[in-house]
């Protein structure tokens, strides 16, 4: 148990750091992340440019800071979209039951039958490869997982006495749903949303790496890795730092997610 | 047993139908007229209209879907707009390349990770356990494309042991072909080990708490007999399901690995098709991967009773 709280703390610190850097990027970066400098092309890390410069002489640290902002923003909007849509669908499906539930879940399960980022790739072809295309594509692709989890929680909750009590007291279905069922679904929603934030950041960087994400020159960790790839032999830092940022972010989310799951998911309580 | 098999097959049917409808609908939502796109900027409106009727685009959507579905059932996935080749041929040849990498990687990863996870669970909260879980969590957090890039940099560029660019099929040149597969397979093995160690550990932990394990220990069985004969047999089920999910997820997400190592696989085919707006190929790839995912999970489900006969009874 102690180890898990400690790990959760490390995760929390990593994520707090990410958010702080993303926030900082709104106001300040060491250099202009877009400013080209032909005299400082592919400069190694130094006192002047802490993490070196890229093939256009742009400061890598400044671009990573702006990239953090892009990752956090895309992750936040994606998770919000999936959480809101998925929760609504899950609530309706779990509460209505009958044929409404059957139809919604048939479609939902079919969407879950698309592996990994495949559905997101297909949706990107529809929305176009840009920042908002990614958010919609990933948000829609993640919605079915959220809907399934919320529906499961609703189905087990609605048989409980306090829901019965609320109805006997004369509360409307809508009131019961919002006041009693939804708050009790928040734990599984939080656990899943935390993992989703990680999936979104990873998928965004993967799509940007493929050239289907945020188009250059706007910096994201994924497109910085893709752009730096041809130069990694002379300029190792171009391949090193953006990937390190993604890995540390994901590590933070995984550690935080494990700790949250231990704390919030009652099924896991007996295990530790 | 037969009822179990038929039941699982029947359950997969609606999924297949809705997946096909989704893929079909997705492509129709892409902005732009495929006919105009195929003919280029200089086309006359009459030519476009003729092309539309030739492609069946002037019919109603349900009609188009039925025609398309019928063609797919007979193996006709259409032709690539860019190269004119039959889509099915393209998809199958690229799929073979991706599948060999994914299958070998998942097999090797399971071979290492499952025993590691079981041992971690057996030694819960010991230093071994902490080290294994810690390593697994770190491995899980490293994106495959970055890991691949680092391995390429180290083994390919710095040490010069393995080829950096290009691809040779093992059918053409066995040894040369294998050399090109080492790094992509290694990348996937390292990454998937993270997932599998954690899964195997969690499901083993759950089993180790049960009374029959205490009973097995109490009657004096050796620890290795308790662990491998009693605990492992019951604990492997969830991990087996996870292996199936990983297989499918890798097929869907292999594009990044294929981009890092310049491998002409299915993922790369699809990404290129998206760049070139080659609708029939995008459609073919989506459908093919989604259906293989359904199939892989079906096979995993059908083999599940081998590890846990209880599911048949339920």
């Amino acid at each position: 148990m102690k180890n898990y709280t400690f790990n959760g703390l490390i995760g929390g610190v990593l994520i707090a750091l990410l958010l702080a850097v993303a926030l900082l990027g709104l106001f300040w970066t060491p250099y202009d992340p877009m400013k080209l400098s032909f005299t400082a092309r592919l400069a190694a890390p130094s006192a002047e440019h802490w993490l070196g410069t890229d093939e256009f002489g742009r400061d890598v640290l400044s671009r990573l800071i702006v990239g953090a902002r892009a990752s956090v923003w895309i992750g936040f909007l994606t998770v919000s979209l999936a959480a809101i849509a998925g929760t609504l669908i899950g609530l309706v499906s779990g509460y209505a039951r009958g044929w409404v539930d059957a139809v919604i879940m048939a479609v939902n399960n079919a969407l879950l039958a698309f592996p990994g980022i495949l559905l997101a790739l297909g949706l990107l072809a529809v929305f176009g490869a840009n920042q908002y295309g990614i958010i919609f594509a990933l948000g829609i692709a993640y919605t079915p997982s959220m809907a399934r989890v919320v529906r499961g929680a609703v189905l087990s909750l609605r048989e409980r006495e306090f829901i019965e009590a609320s109805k006997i007291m004369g509360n409307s279905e809508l009131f019961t749903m919002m006041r009693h069922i939804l708050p009790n679904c928040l734990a599984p929603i939080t656990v899943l949303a935390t993992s989703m934030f990680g999936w979104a950041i990873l998928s965004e960087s993967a799509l940007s790496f493929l050239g289907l994400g945020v188009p250059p020159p706007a910096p994201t960790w994924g497109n910085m890795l893709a752009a730096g790839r041809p130069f990694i032999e002379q300029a190792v830092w171009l391949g090193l730092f953006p990937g390190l940022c993604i890995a540390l972010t994901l590590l933070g989310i995984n550690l935080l997610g494990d700790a949250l799951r231990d704390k919030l998911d009652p099924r896991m309580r007996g295990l530790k | 047993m037969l009822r179990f098999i038929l039941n699982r097959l029947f359950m997969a049917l609606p999924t297949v139908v809705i997946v096909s409808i989704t893929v079909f609908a997705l492509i129709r939502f892409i902005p732009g007229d495929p006919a105009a796109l195929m003919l280029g900027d200089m086309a006359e409106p009459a030519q476009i209209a003729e092309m539309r009727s030739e492609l069946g685009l002037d019919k109603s959507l349900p009609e188009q879907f039925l025609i398309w579905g019928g063609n797919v059932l007979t193996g006709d996935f259409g032709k690539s707009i860019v190269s004119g080749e039959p889509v099915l041929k393209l998809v199958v040849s690229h799929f073979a390349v991706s599948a060999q990498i994914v299958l070998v990687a998942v097999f090797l990863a399971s071979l290492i990770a499952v025993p590691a996870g079981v041992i971690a669970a057996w030694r819960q909260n010991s230093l071994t356990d902490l080290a294994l879980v810690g390593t697994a969590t770190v491995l899980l957090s490293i994106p495959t494309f970055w890991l691949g890039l680092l391995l390429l940099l180290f083994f390919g560029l710095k040490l010069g042991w393995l080829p950096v660019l290009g691809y040779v099929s093992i059918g053409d040149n066995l040894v040369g072909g294998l050399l090109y597969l080492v790094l992509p397979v290694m990348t996937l093995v390292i990454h998937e080990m993270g997932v599998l160690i954690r899964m195997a550990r969690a499901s083993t932990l759950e089993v180790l708490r049960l009374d029959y394990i205490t009973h097995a220990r109490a009657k004096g069985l050796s620890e290795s007999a308790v662990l491998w004969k009693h605990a492992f047999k019951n604990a492997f089920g969830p991990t087996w399901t996870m292996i199936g999910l990983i297989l499918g997820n890798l097929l869907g997400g292999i594009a990044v690995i294929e981009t890092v190592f310049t491998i002409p696989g299915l993922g790369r085919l699809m990404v290129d098709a998206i760049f070139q707006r080659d609708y029939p190929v995008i459609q073919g790839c989506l459908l093919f991967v989604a259906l293989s995912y359904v199939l892989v999970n079906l096979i995993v489900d059908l083999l599940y009773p081998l590890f846990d006969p209880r599911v048949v009874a339920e």
Side-chain angles (χ1 to χ4, degrees):
Chain A
M1 194 72 216
K2 237 179 180 170
N3 281 317
Y4 278 86
T5 33
F6 178 67
N7 284 350
L9 191 70
I10 297 180
V13 169
L14 282 172
I15 297 311
L17 208 65
L18 170 75
L19 296 179
V21 169
L23 207 63
L24 176 76
L26 283 176
F27 308 106
W28 180 84
T29 49
Y31 292 85
D32 178 353
M34 310 293 259
K35 190 169 171 277
L36 311 181
S37 162
F38 288 97
T39 49
R41 272 161 53 193
L42 297 176
S46 62
E48 210 175 329
H49 295 281
W50 287 6
L51 302 183
T53 63
D54 68 6
E55 71 278 17
F56 295 113
R58 297 173 298 196
D59 182 52
V60 171
L61 179 61
S62 304
R63 291 178 69 74
L64 286 176
I65 293 175
V66 177
R69 196 177 77 196
S71 287
V72 170
W73 185 232
I74 292 175
F76 173 75
L77 288 181
T78 302
V79 174
S80 307
L81 181 66
I84 293 171
T87 304
L88 279 176
I89 295 170
L91 280 178
V92 169
S93 193
Y95 208 79
R97 298 196 289 187
W99 67 269
V100 178
D101 180 38
V103 170
I104 293 179
M105 278 304 120
V107 175
N108 206 63
N109 289 338
L111 290 180
L112 284 173
F114 287 93
I117 57 172
L118 187 74
L119 183 59
L121 273 176
L123 287 163
L124 260 185
V126 176
F127 292 123
N130 56 60
Q131 185 174 345
Y132 292 96
I134 289 194
I135 292 167
F136 277 110
L138 291 176
I140 294 174
Y142 293 163
T143 298
S145 318
M146 188 59 92
R148 182 146 86 169
V149 164
V150 173
R151 172 181 173 271
V154 173
L155 281 182
S156 72
L157 281 169
R158 57 170 299 147
E159 304 304 330
R160 303 264 295 271
E161 284 92 355
F162 70 97
I163 300 300
E164 191 81 3
S166 169
K167 280 192 222 154
I168 292 170
M169 281 164 68
N171 292 328
S172 70
E173 298 267 311
L174 190 67
F175 181 85
T176 308
M177 191 129 97
M178 289 305 172
R179 185 73 183 75
H180 296 292
I181 292 194
L182 184 60
N184 280 293
C185 294
L186 285 181
I189 293 176
T190 312
V191 171
L192 185 58
T194 310
S195 313
M196 270 182 185
F197 188 64
W199 303 347
I201 287 182
L202 176 63
S203 302
E204 178 272 315
S205 57
L207 291 170
S208 293
F209 181 77
L210 288 175
L212 291 170
V214 180
T220 68
W221 296 341
N223 74 22
M224 286 174 73
L225 265 186
R229 207 195 132 184
F231 308 100
I232 48 170
E233 207 178 357
Q234 310 102 287
V236 183
W237 57 92
L238 290 182
L240 214 54
F241 297 122
L244 197 61
C245 288
I246 305 171
L248 284 176
T249 302
L250 293 177
L251 184 64
I253 292 168
N254 283 331
L255 291 175
L256 194 65
D258 286 350
L260 272 178
R261 190 172 300 114
D262 284 345
K263 201 167 165 51
L264 294 177
D265 190 343
R267 279 172 307 163
M268 303 294 283
R269 262 177 212 156
L271 269 179
K272 296 285 139 36
Chain B
M1 189 68 202
L2 188 69
R3 244 192 74 199
F4 169 78
I5 294 175
L6 287 178
N7 189 19
R8 285 297 142 100
L9 284 176
F10 188 71
M11 271 162 57
L13 260 184
T15 310
V16 168
V17 172
I18 300 177
V19 162
S20 319
I21 295 178
T22 313
V23 170
F24 175 79
L26 213 53
I27 302 302
R28 298 297 126 153
F29 282 138
I30 296 179
D33 183 351
L37 198 82
M38 281 171 82
L39 291 168
D41 295 336
M42 305 301 281
E44 305 278 331
Q47 271 179 298
I48 294 179
E50 195 184 323
M51 191 61 155
R52 285 181 64 86
S53 81
E54 198 178 304
L55 291 170
L57 291 171
D58 51 349
K59 299 197 173 67
S60 73
L61 280 180
E63 265 181 289
Q64 286 186 39
F65 175 71
L66 288 179
I67 294 171
W68 174 73
N71 288 343
V72 165
L73 283 179
T74 58
D76 177 9
F77 280 56
K79 282 194 170 66
S80 159
I81 294 178
V82 175
S83 68
E85 281 185 82
V87 171
L88 186 64
K89 198 182 126 208
L90 279 174
V91 169
V92 169
S93 64
H94 287 77
F95 173 76
V97 175
S98 306
Q100 62 184 12
I101 296 174
V102 169
L103 284 173
V104 174
V106 171
F107 177 72
L108 290 178
S110 317
L111 217 58
I112 308 169
V114 172
V118 173
I119 288 170
W122 178 51
R123 287 262 168 259
Q124 192 189 0
N125 293 333
S126 71
L127 214 59
T128 320
D129 179 30
L130 289 181
L132 280 170
V133 174
T135 313
T137 310
V138 170
L139 293 184
L140 189 74
S141 308
I142 300 175
T144 48
F145 49 97
W146 186 48
L147 182 63
L149 219 55
L150 293 183
L151 292 177
L152 200 68
L153 183 64
F154 188 70
F155 290 104
L157 294 171
K158 293 274 184 255
L159 296 177
W161 289 354
L162 292 160
V164 175
L165 277 177
Y167 175 78
V168 175
S169 157
I170 40 172
D172 297 338
N173 176 350
L174 184 66
V175 178
L178 283 177
L179 284 181
Y180 282 97
L181 295 181
V182 172
L183 285 179
V185 167
M186 194 153 107
T187 308
L188 291 180
V189 167
I190 293 176
H191 183 76
E192 298 311 332
M193 264 170 51
V195 184
L196 284 171
I197 288 178
R198 285 163 53 110
M199 189 71 205
R201 177 180 177 274
S203 41
T204 310
L205 273 183
E206 238 171 286
V207 170
L208 284 177
R209 291 183 304 152
L210 300 178
D211 289 341
Y212 81 95
I213 296 294
T214 318
H215 181 254
R217 283 194 175 127
K219 74 177 184 190
L221 287 183
S222 71
E223 275 298 293
S224 77
V226 171
L227 200 60
W228 298 108
K229 288 222 172 99
H230 292 254
F232 176 70
K233 265 184 142 174
N234 265 311
F236 186 61
T239 310
W240 172 243
T241 305
M242 181 56 100
I243 291 173
L245 291 176
I246 287 177
L247 262 181
N249 277 324
L250 282 183
L251 283 179
I254 192 154
V256 280
I257 287 291
E258 290 171 355
T259 303
V260 172
F261 296 107
T262 55
I263 295 166
L266 194 59
R268 207 47 242 181
L269 178 71
M270 177 158 169
V271 172
D272 289 338
I274 293 178
F275 279 130
Q276 296 162 334
R277 293 173 167 263
D278 194 342
Y279 305 103
V281 176
I282 305 177
Q283 200 167 21
C285 291
L286 274 173
L287 189 68
F288 193 84
V289 177
L291 292 185
S292 356
Y293 188 54
V294 174
L295 188 71
V296 165
N297 283 314
L298 188 68
I299 294 174
V300 165
D301 262 10
L302 291 178
L303 290 179
Y304 201 99
L306 288 181
F307 308 111
D308 192 346
R310 285 172 301 185
V311 292
V312 182
E314 276 160 19

